[in-house]
Amino acid sequence: MSHLGGPLDTSGMLAVGPPGGPLRARGRPRTAVRSTLVAVVSTVVVFGILVWITVNAPGWAEVQVSFFNATVFTNAFPDIVAAFSLNIQLFAIAEVLILVLALALAVFRSLPGPVFFPLRFLATIYADIFRAVPGVLVIYILGFGIPGLGLPGIPTDPFPYAVIALTLIYSAYVSEVYRAGIESVHPSQEAAARSLGLSRLQALRYVILPQAVRRVIPPLLNDFIGLQKDTVLVSYIGVVEIFRQSQITQQAKFNYTPYMATALVFIAVTIPLARLTDILVSRDRRRAAASAR
Amino acid sequence: MGGEGSRGAAPAATTPALVVEGVHKSFGQLEVLAGIDLTVAQHEVVCLIGASGSGKSTLLRCVNLLEPLDAGRIVVAGEDICAPGVDVNRVRRRIGIVFQAFNLFPHMSVLDNVTLAPRKVLHLAPAEATTRALALLERFGLADKQREFPDRLSGGQQQRVAIVRALAMEPGLLLLDEVTSALDPELVAEVLAVIRELARGGMTMLIATHEMGFARDIANRVCFLDAGRILEDGPPEQMFRAPRAERTQRFLQRVMEAGRL
């Protein structure tokens, strides 16, 4: 497998296209047709070899039965899709909270002057800690620790803790994305805004943030692809979402096909988002090229 | 300018629009302004000339408080704007600045670029701000561009919008920082025409420029900056025909050799 890594990577990039393809094609338009041909041929060859190796492996018959069982798949699929609605809820609620919390953190970190030092300091510590601690640990600590305090009126249902944990983890990353966007807006924009009499906060709100947010939409979407997948981590604190559901079915049937069904669901949801991100990235690149005279 | 003129009662007419006293400014080890003294009277047009790096832009940025001073004092229409406790946002409302690189807001239409500060700083109603903005855009031949975004305009049009954006705040003093330096040669004239019209209307302006012919035409007074000091200043006829200082002579000689005068 390791010796296949090289050629597989290259052909994969050429075949999939959007990330590397258009850029190459744009650099050398004359060779675009030939590149496409090479890509198709090399993809077919590489995948052909991979399939051949898999199907001729000594354990293939057993793997086929325990991972690709049509009956188990058909029976388990409705339950798995139903459980996925919980992942969607987690994702949807957490995403909104993340967008707000992360923006606040990024703004705190970009405030200049000694007066705002405590806010900058707290926001920095926050980003450091939540990027350092593995997500699963945050989920465990919150999901078992907070209810374990036994405080009156505190929810025992794991769902809110799952949402809070995902929000805390991802806000640390997303705040860095926002911050990069804020820093990418040229200082002359702030100078222009301030020179018209706008206050620092007005300049941030009307001039800098709108430009910053527009620029970071592709990396934001990228983080949300990660969030979508990481919703399965909250299964550890007893939320019966898609992964937990597939585990239950797997243990009942002694068959791994439910995991394959789960993987399929994620692929179906993630690929459109990934392509949308690619489209936005290339549109941004074109726009940047057009405005650079 | 109408507002400025009608308010021009006796005391206001004699108070200089701008007084710069002993202004020093360094960036690290580099002393960019080494003691600038300059007075600009109401309705006067003063041009700053000098080589790149002589401190013209920095001086303008200091006047608008975009750069803090190391030493010295700046008085605008009788008010010391460097005094502690002065609200910089209020000061900047009365001083317009136009930059070399236009610095329009790329995510806003021309109209929004012009109305943003009147709406958010002067708290004009949107309709009122729009009416005023359209009148200004009309006056400078940009009314048909009101819905365009900056990247759809030529450099000359962008710079005219930037001037209109500054004028929308009805400043008493307008600072122009090499506003034609980033333009293709054929677009320079339209921007200079706008500035000429402002001068005719009585706008007080402090202009950093490399356009010597323009400075000669428009300025009441020309200041030659050299190594952070005003080496020589006088009316344009004298400055361009018979400069006294040797450095001024050499600078103008080089400019003439380059065919820029």
Side-chain angles (χ1 to χ4, degrees), chain B residues 52-69:
Chain B
S52 296
S54 59
K56 304 186 296 289
S57 294
T58 307
L59 176 57
L60 295 185
R61 292 175 66 88
C62 283
V63 170
N64 203 19
L65 302 180
L66 286 173
E67 302 286 352
L69 305 184

Side-chain angles (χ1 to χ4, degrees), chain A residues 188-189 191-199 202 206-207 210-211 214 293, chain B residues 64 89 92 95 97 99 103-108 116-117 120-121 165 169:
Chain A
S188 64
Q189 285 288 309
R194 301 297 310 276
S195 78
L196 290 164
L198 270 74
S199 69
Q202 285 177 320
Y206 298 114
V207 175
Q211 297 183 57
R214 216 159 293 190
R293 281 168 297 155
Chain B
N64 203 19
N89 299 325
R92 291 198 185 110
I95 308 174
I97 185 165
F99 302 93
N103 299 0
L104 292 178
F105 306 133
H107 60 298
M108 291 182 188
L116 177 71
K120 301 303 174 192
V121 180
R165 181 176 70 175
M169 293 298 284

Side-chain angles (χ1 to χ4, degrees), chain B residues 112-128:
Chain B
D112 288 341
N113 262 279
V114 177
T115 58
L116 177 71
R119 280 184 287 129
K120 301 303 174 192
V121 180
L122 301 179
H123 303 293
L124 291 188
E128 168 80 5

Side-chain angles (χ1 to χ4, degrees), chain B residues 33-209:
Chain B
L33 299 180
I36 297 271
D37 295 288
L38 173 69
T39 301
V40 180
Q42 300 278 3
H43 311 300
E44 192 179 22
V45 176
V46 174
C47 282
L48 305 171
I49 61 169
S52 296
S54 59
K56 304 186 296 289
S57 294
T58 307
L59 176 57
L60 295 185
R61 292 175 66 88
C62 283
V63 170
N64 203 19
L65 302 180
L66 286 173
E67 302 286 352
L69 305 184
D70 294 341
R73 210 162 77 99
I74 292 172
V75 183
V76 173
E79 185 192 358
D80 182 350
I81 61 171
C82 301
V86 166
D87 177 2
V88 294
N89 299 325
R90 193 176 50 78
V91 168
R92 291 198 185 110
R93 268 178 237 171
R94 297 185 295 160
I95 308 174
I97 185 165
V98 182
F99 302 93
Q100 179 176 351
F102 328 139
N103 299 0
L104 292 178
F105 306 133
H107 60 298
M108 291 182 188
S109 68
V110 164
L111 188 62
D112 288 341
N113 262 279
V114 177
T115 58
L116 177 71
R119 280 184 287 129
K120 301 303 174 192
V121 180
L122 301 179
H123 303 293
L124 291 188
E128 168 80 5
T130 302
T131 311
R132 288 199 199 181
L134 286 179
L136 278 172
L137 289 169
E138 182 77 42
R139 183 173 148 202
F140 296 105
L142 292 159
D144 56 326
K145 304 291 180 199
Q146 53 164 306
R147 288 185 209 294
E148 297 282 8
F149 281 77
D151 62 355
R152 303 258 302 154
L153 303 178
S154 74
Q157 288 166 341
Q158 289 189 54
Q159 193 58 294
R160 285 190 284 148
V161 172
I163 294 173
V164 167
R165 181 176 70 175
L167 291 176
M169 293 298 284
E170 304 188 333
L173 170 65
L174 190 61
L175 311 172
L176 302 173
D177 186 7
E178 295 185 20
V179 292
T180 57
S181 298
L183 295 178
D184 293 336
E186 77 273 19
L187 302 176
V188 169
E190 61 183 88
V191 172
L192 295 186
V194 167
I195 302 170
R196 281 203 181 86
E197 204 216 303
L198 291 177
R200 271 199 300 277
M203 175 62 81
T204 312
M205 287 186 280
L206 184 56
I207 304 173
T209 186

